Amino acid sequence: MARVTVAAAVSLIAVLAPLVLGTKPHAQSSTYYNPILPGFHPDPSCIFVPEWDDTFFCASSSFNAFPGIPLHASKDLQNWKLIGHVLNRPEQLPRLAETNRSTSGIWAPTLRFNEGNFWLVTTLVDDDRVDTDSSRWDNVIFKSEDPYDPYAWTEAIHFDFEGYDTSPVWDSDGKTYIVGGHAWKVSPGILLAEANLDTGEVGEWEVIWNGTGGTAPEGPHIFLKDGWYYLLAAEGGTGLEHMVTMARSKSIHGPYEVNPANPVLTNANTTNYFQTVGHADLFQDGAGNWWGVALSTRSGPEYLYYPMGRETIMVPVTWADNEFPIWSSLNGEMSGWAFPQENVELAGTGPLISEGDIINFEPGSTLPAHFTYWRYPIPESYIISPSDHTNTLRLNPSKLNLTALNGNYAGPSGQTFVGRRQQDTLFTYSVNLDFSPALLEEESGISVFLTQNHHLDLGVVMLPANSSTTTFPGTNLTTSTELIPQLRFRGISYVQVPDDIVVPIPESWSGKTLRLEVKAYNMTHYSMSAGPADALSQMKTILDVSNAPVSWGFSGVILGVYCTTNGYEGSTPAYISEWRYIPQGQFRN
Ligand SMILES: *[C@@H]1O[C@H](CO)[C@@H](O)[C@H](O)[C@H]1NC(C)=O
Ligand SMILES: *[C@@H]1O[C@H](CO)[C@@H](O)[C@H](O)[C@H]1NC(C)=O
Ligand SMILES: *[C@@H]1O[C@H](CO)[C@@H](O)[C@H](O)[C@H]1NC(C)=O
Ligand SMILES: *[C@@H]1O[C@H](CO)[C@@H](O)[C@H](O)[C@H]1NC(C)=O
Ligand SMILES: *[C@@H]1O[C@H](CO)[C@@H](O)[C@H](O)[C@H]1NC(C)=O
Ligand SMILES: *[C@@H]1O[C@H](CO)[C@@H](O)[C@H](O)[C@H]1NC(C)=O
Ligand SMILES: *[C@@H]1O[C@H](CO)[C@@H](O)[C@H](O)[C@H]1NC(C)=O
């Protein structure tokens, strides 16, 4: 295969590069901006793979989103492209279909390359179960020979571990281990067991480190360097107290001596806009320089407005022989080691991370790689360019809406919703909606969706003509009541959301395709608007709404479209067209 030959030649250069450049590692420097992967990209795990044409690869957590475990690649550490997803077909891990709770799903993947194979070790969590129920933690391994080919990723190989944040490590004596965090059987700590990654067989788990005293020692990775085993972990929980700590030992089993300079990376107790820094990984580039990645929330210490959730950041790291590494502190603008030469030539189907969307659902097209569902979709509910409505996405309604059953798994009839991550502080997202509801509570619209318990929706919904601002489920309506399509805003969150707004669609717009829009116009607020698609000057702002209701938990906002009958009967489809997402600015301090 030609690719292997080229890769082999390139890797030889990569091996020589440190020798050539190693004498003057400080000679050049780069300026770059955090986050490197903005939006819902938590728990990053990144590697550099000379064998694959000197490419950097990063995986991140996806919780209940599907496709799951996005993979981004870069050749220059500046331009990151979505190249696919490790979890790309339901057969790989059927249980994601049924996870209850918004904090469930895929937690904390670790991506590694070893002897020609990519390995991805992670945990499928069902947070509906209590800690002591071993079925809460489904630890799994995926393997691939080609990160660009979705089908090359195996089905999940399951292994026994009552904890999460699992990470493989290959010892110099040929043994393979998995290290993981926070098992309930012993006090929270970092545990290790020998493992066969191909079969999922694991040995006895032993606690190798209890951390430095922060809550929830987790996110462990072990690195072999200069005859030491360096253990990297996160502590303090994934909120404002989050931090990265390290320890080391001459034996993989310990005892681990604590780094006197801990925490090596944190923004706790600072006023930095980047908070909750932790859950890190380390990799070395082709010039021999070290980099750290971690998650962080752009929230400031107030920690109220962070709709993009936990994002991927990168900092330069200095790692001298026989010493603990020194991590640069995290800011929005960074200077670091010289980057490899700019190169945006990457295989893979997804967009570059900074790109917006101009999507027209042309005949014969497929949904873009970065589009995301909540759990597994029912494929028939999403039809591109049906013959009677070309250049649209047809959505068939789900009986349950975006909240579904108290925010839990919606059952086999699913939830019709597809979106893309909010990746910019400021943006405008808009679509055309062609929808002629016939029955009570048939609804379609746009959503600022964080979880099933946190979303802000603006839709067209069939309601009695004389409804004011009250919602109708619960009311017993007579068949004689006249139903008309109305615009409705409805939000749900653990914090206060504005009351529902129901406004009749103006006479002059009736029967027309509408344009629905959500715009983040400052750091804390969205506006949600509607108007006739053929007369945008008539767009009306329905409301301004704070993003605090969608700033919560482990995930980040997904902007998308939905179609539902809100528990009633109905089958009227909606047709979505001219999908646009326009990035309009990042706040970094
Ligand atoms: C999810 O929650 C629902 C409602 O609480 C429950 O009926 C169902 O059994 C749960 N499903 C799983 C897979 O735990
Ligand atoms: C971790 O803490 C537990 C409980 O206090 C203790 O039994 C164990 O020895 C500790 N392990 C290590 C490796 O420090
Ligand atoms: C932040 O400050 C609190 C209170 O002084 C302290 O308990 C905590 O350890 C500090 N956290 C970090 C990561 O420095
Ligand atoms: C629809 O959404 C509302 C508000 O979020 C929620 O209370 C209700 O249970 C949902 N109904 C169905 C049938 O999905
Ligand atoms: C709507 O109108 C119907 C028929 O005129 C009436 O019976 C009903 O009470 C009205 N409902 C509300 C919410 O005003
Ligand atoms: C609503 O109407 C249905 C059928 O007309 C009836 O069976 C039901 O008891 C009514 N519910 C309430 C809450 O009045
Ligand atoms: C954003 O705009 C709203 C008014 O719509 C205002 O209340 C809020 O303070 C603004 N936020 C910032 C950070 O300026």
Side-chain angles (χ1 to χ4, degrees):
M1 195 167 100
R3 168 171 251 148
V4 171
T5 322
V6 174
V10 170
S11 85
L12 192 67
I13 296 165
V15 170
L16 296 175
L19 305 178
V20 178
L21 302 176
T23 47
K24 272 190 180 175
H26 295 274
Q28 278 179 298
S29 70
S30 58
T31 298
Y32 67 96
Y33 298 95
N34 276 314
I36 58 163
L37 300 180
F40 171 24
H41 297 108
D43 307 321
S45 177
C46 302
I47 54 176
F48 174 64
V49 186
E51 292 87 337
W52 277 81
D53 203 11
D54 283 346
T55 304
F56 302 89
F57 297 92
C58 289
S60 45
S61 296
S62 48
F63 296 86
N64 289 315
F66 178 81
I69 318 172
L71 278 181
H72 287 86
S74 178
K75 286 187 181 165
D76 57 13
L77 291 173
Q78 303 166 72
N79 296 287
W80 292 92
K81 181 178 170 129
L82 179 70
I83 60 157
H85 293 84
V86 174
L87 179 55
N88 56 73
R89 27 186 222 286
E91 336 48 293
Q92 287 175 287
L93 192 58
R95 207 177 149 203
L96 178 68
E98 293 179 21
T99 51
N100 272 330
R101 298 218 184 187
S102 299
T103 51
S104 294
I106 296 290
W107 286 23
T110 300
L111 179 66
R112 292 291 183 259
F113 181 80
N114 186 61
E115 293 181 359
N117 289 306
F118 289 83
W119 296 91
L120 192 295
V121 180
T122 189
T123 318
L124 177 74
V125 179
D126 191 337
D127 249 353
D128 210 28
R129 311 301 169 93
V130 288
D131 247 5
T132 48
D133 180 348
S134 62
S135 71
R136 181 175 177 190
W137 319 108
D138 186 358
N139 277 285
V140 292
I141 301 163
F142 300 97
K143 178 184 181 181
S144 173
E145 287 180 349
D146 180 353
Y148 296 96
D149 175 5
Y151 291 95
W153 288 101
T154 60
E155 294 188 359
I157 301 156
H158 300 261
F159 66 96
D160 254 351
F161 177 54
E162 292 174 25
Y164 55 85
D165 293 3
T166 40
S167 173
V169 49
W170 289 267
D171 202 350
S172 48
D173 64 3
K175 288 185 176 170
T176 305
Y177 296 85
I178 293 177
V179 61
H182 204 50
W184 67 270
K185 273 189 178 166
V186 288
S187 65
I190 305 300
L191 289 88
L192 179 85
E194 207 176 327
N196 180 328
L197 299 181
D198 281 301
T199 63
E201 275 171 277
V202 287
E204 281 288 301
W205 289 95
E206 54 172 328
V207 181
I208 56 166
W209 196 42
N210 281 330
T212 65
T215 52
E218 59 190 357
H221 299 300
I222 290 176
F223 302 89
L224 281 64
K225 190 174 182 292
D226 317 321
W228 290 97
Y229 296 87
Y230 285 89
L231 173 55
L232 175 67
E235 296 183 54
T238 194
L240 294 177
E241 287 295 314
H242 212 195
M243 58 183 171
V244 181
T245 56
M246 294 191 77
R248 69 178 180 181
S249 173
K250 285 285 182 184
S251 159
I252 196 165
H253 303 278
Y256 281 83
E257 61 182 62
V258 175
N259 178 6
N262 281 331
V264 290
L265 181 68
T266 187
N267 272 353
N269 301 325
T270 69
T271 57
N272 202 295
Y273 188 42
F274 287 78
Q275 291 285 325
T276 78
V277 189
H279 200 110
D281 199 0
L282 277 165
F283 61 91
Q284 197 172 19
D285 67 19
N289 293 313
W290 288 89
W291 298 90
V293 287
L295 70 80
S296 174
T297 325
R298 279 183 282 170
S299 62
E302 303 77 24
Y303 203 40
L304 292 172
Y305 307 100
Y306 51 96
M308 290 178 280
R310 303 177 308 153
E311 310 177 282
T312 294
I313 61 87
M314 182 172 82
V315 296
V317 171
T318 305
W319 201 344
D321 292 352
N322 288 303
E323 303 288 337
F324 279 102
I326 296 165
W327 299 57
S328 301
S329 54
L330 166 63
N331 279 300
E333 182 175 338
M334 300 286 311
S335 56
W337 308 120
F339 280 151
Q341 191 173 5
E342 185 157 0
N343 182 349
V344 290
E345 280 166 38
L346 287 154
T349 49
L352 289 171
I353 194 82
S354 53
E355 277 177 59
D357 292 342
I358 299 179
I359 291 155
N360 294 321
F361 308 110
E362 282 107 355
S365 64
T366 52
L367 289 185
H370 64 294
F371 272 35
T372 185
Y373 306 97
W374 202 240
R375 303 195 188 83
Y376 296 128
I378 294 172
E380 305 78 56
S381 296
Y382 309 86
I383 303 296
I384 294 179
S385 203
S387 54
D388 57 344
H389 284 81
T390 51
N391 300 299
T392 72
L393 171 66
R394 187 180 77 200
L395 300 177
N396 286 343
S398 54
K399 186 147 190 168
L400 298 185
N401 61 30
L402 292 176
T403 304
L405 304 169
N406 300 319
N408 273 332
Y409 164 52
S413 58
Q415 286 173 287
T416 302
F417 170 75
V418 64
R420 62 107 71 217
R421 287 161 171 79
Q422 176 184 343
Q423 291 176 185
D424 301 271
T425 316
L426 306 180
F427 69 87
T428 302
Y429 167 71
S430 56
V431 297
N432 284 355
L433 173 68
D434 178 359
F435 181 53
S436 307
L439 301 175
L440 178 70
E441 286 284 351
E442 285 191 320
E443 177 175 359
S444 181
I446 55 173
S447 183
V448 178
F449 180 92
L450 180 76
T451 79
Q452 289 171 249
N453 293 310
H454 308 79
H455 50 97
L456 308 168
D457 313 331
L458 177 64
V460 170
V461 55
M462 198 62 158
L463 289 175
N466 56 358
S467 69
S468 56
T469 58
T470 47
T471 44
F472 274 78
T475 323
N476 216 347
L477 295 149
T478 65
T479 47
S480 62
T481 309
E482 190 202 355
L483 297 172
I484 56 165
Q486 310 209 27
L487 281 166
R488 177 166 70 189
F489 162 81
R490 187 157 70 159
I492 181 170
S493 177
Y494 298 159
V495 304
Q496 203 185 350
V497 287
D499 290 340
D500 294 0
I501 297 171
V502 178
V503 290
I505 293 174
E507 196 94 328
S508 62
W509 306 1
S510 81
K512 288 190 170 176
T513 298
L514 298 185
R515 189 139 193 95
L516 300 180
E517 176 183 288
V518 53
K519 185 181 173 79
Y521 62 88
N522 70 17
M523 203 189 279
T524 57
H525 282 69
Y526 301 112
S527 62
M528 300 184 87
S529 319
D534 64 357
L536 295 179
S537 61
Q538 294 177 36
M539 288 287 286
K540 279 196 167 121
T541 298
I542 308 298
L543 85 164
D544 289 333
V545 55
S546 162
N547 61 30
V550 288
S551 300
W552 179 86
F554 299 162
S555 57
V557 158
I558 300 170
L559 303 158
V561 293
Y562 65 92
C563 187
T564 178
T565 61
N566 283 301
Y568 290 76
E569 295 308 314
S571 60
T572 308
Y575 299 91
I576 306 297
S577 56
E578 294 187 32
W579 169 298
R580 301 289 181 267
Y581 172 86
I582 303 167
Q584 288 163 325
Q586 297 284 14
F587 285 41
R588 306 182 197 275
N589 58 48

